[in-house]
């Protein structure tokens, strides 16, 4: 480690008033061999030597602190901190520095920022010096580990935060911590609602339009599902007033149902999911299609109809004459009988004539 890095490490330690602590720390680190940032003199290795000069001690301690700071920074870079919470809950955002028990918050400046531009909460010399209006009465900071607590979580709280810690050394301030924390805020969606509409049906299958909907959640969800053990790709529509407002989602798809089949709809958001299932039933209504008659049937039917019409025509022409030939004579006899009956008797007429003679 070079002298420039060594000086950077040295600024993290205040010698005045802490020489004894520095000697003990350095000696313990030598024994445990926790750091190899610098090559130590053979006389010092493995020994708890409190006779080290302040100059030697400061050099080796500053190298160790610089090494530790480098390793910690590297570790934080590899392991990005992510905190998840739900709307209405209380959550703590961890800071990258903890004030030792022998020190006080009065020696530090702490800034909690959002999006690197918006100061959420700030402390200096142990006192609160700034608080954002939107977070007023919703935030507090732990005076030892500097954790930022946010209560009554809102969707607008979602986003990246940053903890910046400065330590006062004499008249100067040195940054000892600067790290980002990602806060993911979720709002629960309603249980998905599945509705169906029959668009067509036959004896073999039923065509259905299935709709799956859910509302009031955050962040923007992904909608999925299964039908007959096959993945469903929904035609989805999302509705939201803004990128930081609750979402409503609706998915539609058509299915050919040949038998009673189970369908599921899942709404996934922020690592969470809501799922609903429904059994799609094939309808029993069946319409047999009309089969056109064959050519032979049509021909036979036509012949039968023609014969029937001819029979009726012939019957209309010849049947009345045949009937009259049998019934006209008796009718005439009756009429003549009636006429004869109506004539005056001949004998009386003759008698009268004879008598007149």
């Amino acid at each position: 480690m070079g002298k420039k890095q060594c000086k950077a490490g040295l600024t993290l330690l205040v010698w005045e008033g802490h020489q004894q602590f520095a000697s003990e720390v350095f000696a313990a680190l030598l024994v445990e061999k926790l750091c190899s940032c610098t090559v130590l003199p053979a006389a010092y290795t493995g020994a708890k030597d409190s006779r080290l000069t302040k100059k030697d001690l400061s050099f080796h301690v500053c190298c160790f602190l610089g090494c530790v700071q480098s390793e910690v920074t590297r570790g934080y870079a590899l392991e990005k901190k992510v905190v998840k919470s739900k709307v209405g809950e209380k959550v703590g955002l961890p800071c990258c520095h903890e004030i030792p028990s022998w020190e006080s918050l009065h020696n530090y400046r702490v800034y909690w920022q959002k999006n690197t531009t918006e100061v959420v909460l700030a402390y200096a010399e142990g006192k609160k010096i700034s608080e954002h209006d939107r977070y007023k009465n919703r935030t507090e900071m732990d005076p030892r580990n500097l954790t930022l607590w946010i209560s009554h979580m809102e969707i607008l709280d979602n986003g990246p935060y940053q903890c910046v810690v400065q330590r006062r050394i004499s008249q100067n301030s040195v940054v000892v911590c600067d790290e980002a924390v990602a806060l993911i805020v979720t709002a629960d969606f309603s249980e998905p609602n599945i509705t169906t509409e029959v668009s067509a049906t036959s004896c073999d299958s039923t065509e259905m339009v299935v709709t799956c909907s859910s509302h009031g959640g955050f962040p923007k969800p992904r909608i999925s599902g299964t039908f007959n053990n096959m993945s469903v790709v929904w035609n989805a529509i999302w509705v939201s007033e803004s990128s930081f407002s609750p979402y409503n989602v609706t998915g539609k798809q058509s299915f050919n149902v040949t038998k009673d089949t189970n369908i599921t709809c899942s709404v996934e958001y922020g690592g969470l999911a809501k799922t609903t299932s429904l059994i799609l039933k094939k309808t029993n209504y069946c319409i047999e299609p009309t089969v056109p008659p064959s050519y032979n049937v049509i021909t036979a039917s036509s012949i039968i109809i023609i014969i029937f019409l001819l029979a009726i025509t012939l019957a209309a022409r010849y049947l009345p004459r045949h009937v009259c030939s049998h019934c006209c004579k008796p009718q005439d006899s009756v009429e003549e009988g009636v006429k004869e009956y109506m004539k005056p008797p001949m004998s009386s007429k003759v008698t009268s004539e004879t008598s007149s003679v």
Side-chain angles (χ1 to χ4, degrees):
M1 177 177 289
K3 291 184 178 180
K4 185 176 181 180
Q5 292 173 305
C6 184
K7 286 184 178 180
L10 182 58
T11 59
L12 300 176
L13 183 64
V14 179
W15 291 103
E16 293 154 0
H18 298 292
Q19 290 94 335
Q20 182 61 34
F21 166 75
S23 300
E24 292 176 358
V25 170
F26 178 68
L29 295 178
L30 287 177
V31 173
E32 298 178 12
K33 299 180 181 180
L34 295 179
C35 182
S36 59
C37 292
T38 183
V39 179
L40 300 177
Y44 301 158
T45 304
K48 189 174 181 180
D49 193 346
S50 60
R51 295 173 297 172
L52 294 173
T53 64
K54 182 177 179 179
K55 181 178 179 180
D56 293 335
L57 182 62
S58 64
F59 176 79
H60 293 298
V61 170
C62 77
C63 288
F64 167 75
L65 293 176
C67 177
V68 170
Q69 185 180 19
S70 174
E71 291 298 319
V72 169
T73 304
R74 188 187 313 163
Y76 282 129
L78 292 175
E79 184 182 354
K80 184 178 180 181
K81 289 187 177 180
V82 177
V83 177
K84 296 183 179 182
S85 180
K86 289 185 178 181
V87 170
E89 293 182 347
K90 182 178 181 179
V91 67
L93 304 182
C95 186
C96 50
H97 185 77
E98 182 173 352
I99 298 177
S101 58
W102 62 86
E103 286 193 299
S104 170
L105 185 60
H106 288 76
N107 297 326
Y108 290 84
R109 286 178 175 267
V110 182
Y111 299 92
W112 270 104
Q113 303 175 156
K114 184 183 179 185
N115 299 321
T116 69
T117 57
E118 182 180 311
V119 177
V120 177
L121 191 66
Y123 274 80
E125 298 180 356
K127 298 179 181 179
K128 184 190 299 184
I129 59 173
S130 177
E131 184 178 24
H132 196 280
D133 291 339
R134 203 176 65 78
Y135 292 89
K136 192 173 289 292
N137 299 324
R138 293 200 302 127
T139 59
E140 56 182 320
M141 189 184 74
D142 189 288
R144 189 59 60 186
N145 59 25
L146 311 181
T147 297
L148 176 66
W149 290 94
I150 306 175
S151 59
H152 307 296
M153 192 62 57
E154 302 174 0
I155 292 179
L156 288 174
D157 296 336
N158 187 82
Y161 289 75
Q162 191 173 11
C163 180
V164 181
V165 181
Q166 296 178 347
R167 192 183 188 289
R168 187 179 62 186
I169 298 178
S170 298
Q171 301 299 323
N172 300 319
S173 294
V174 178
V175 176
V176 297
C177 170
D178 184 350
E179 182 182 289
V181 180
L183 174 60
I184 298 177
V185 181
T186 60
D188 284 335
F189 278 85
S190 64
E191 293 291 335
N193 182 40
I194 302 177
T195 58
T196 61
E197 179 182 354
V198 177
S199 58
T201 185
S202 67
C203 293
D204 297 327
S205 65
T206 301
E207 192 74 20
M208 290 187 180
V209 177
V210 181
T211 302
C212 177
S213 60
S214 183
H215 62 273
F218 188 86
K220 184 178 180 179
R222 174 180 174 268
I223 184 169
S224 62
T226 59
F227 171 76
N228 199 18
N229 297 324
M230 299 290 290
S231 297
V232 174
V233 178
W234 298 91
N235 298 318
I237 299 175
W238 293 269
V239 178
S240 179
E241 294 181 358
S242 68
S243 58
F244 287 98
S245 298
Y247 283 87
N248 298 336
V249 60
T250 301
K252 285 189 175 183
Q253 191 55 271
S254 297
F255 298 96
N256 190 26
V257 182
T258 58
K259 60 180 181 179
D260 294 354
T261 306
N262 185 67
I263 186 172
T264 64
C265 177
S266 298
V267 177
E268 304 169 6
Y269 57 101
L272 304 173
K274 291 288 184 72
T275 302
T276 298
S277 61
L278 181 70
I279 296 178
L280 301 183
K281 294 187 176 182
K282 178 184 175 296
T283 59
N284 295 323
Y285 181 71
C286 179
I287 300 177
E288 291 287 351
T290 303
V291 179
S294 64
Y295 176 77
N296 294 332
V297 174
I298 294 175
T299 304
S301 300
S302 301
I303 293 173
I304 292 173
I305 293 172
I306 292 171
I307 294 173
F308 179 73
L309 292 175
L310 289 174
I312 292 175
T313 303
L314 293 173
R317 288 187 63 182
Y318 295 103
L319 187 59
R321 292 183 180 182
H322 179 70
V323 172
C324 288
S325 64
H326 293 282
C327 63
C328 284
K329 277 187 177 181
Q331 186 175 1
D332 293 342
S333 299
V334 173
E335 289 178 357
E336 289 178 0
V338 174
K339 289 179 180 180
E340 289 293 332
Y341 179 78
M342 296 297 292
K343 287 181 179 182
M346 292 295 292
S347 58
S348 61
K349 182 178 180 182
V350 173
T351 305
S352 62
E353 289 179 355
T354 303
S355 91
S356 66
V357 173

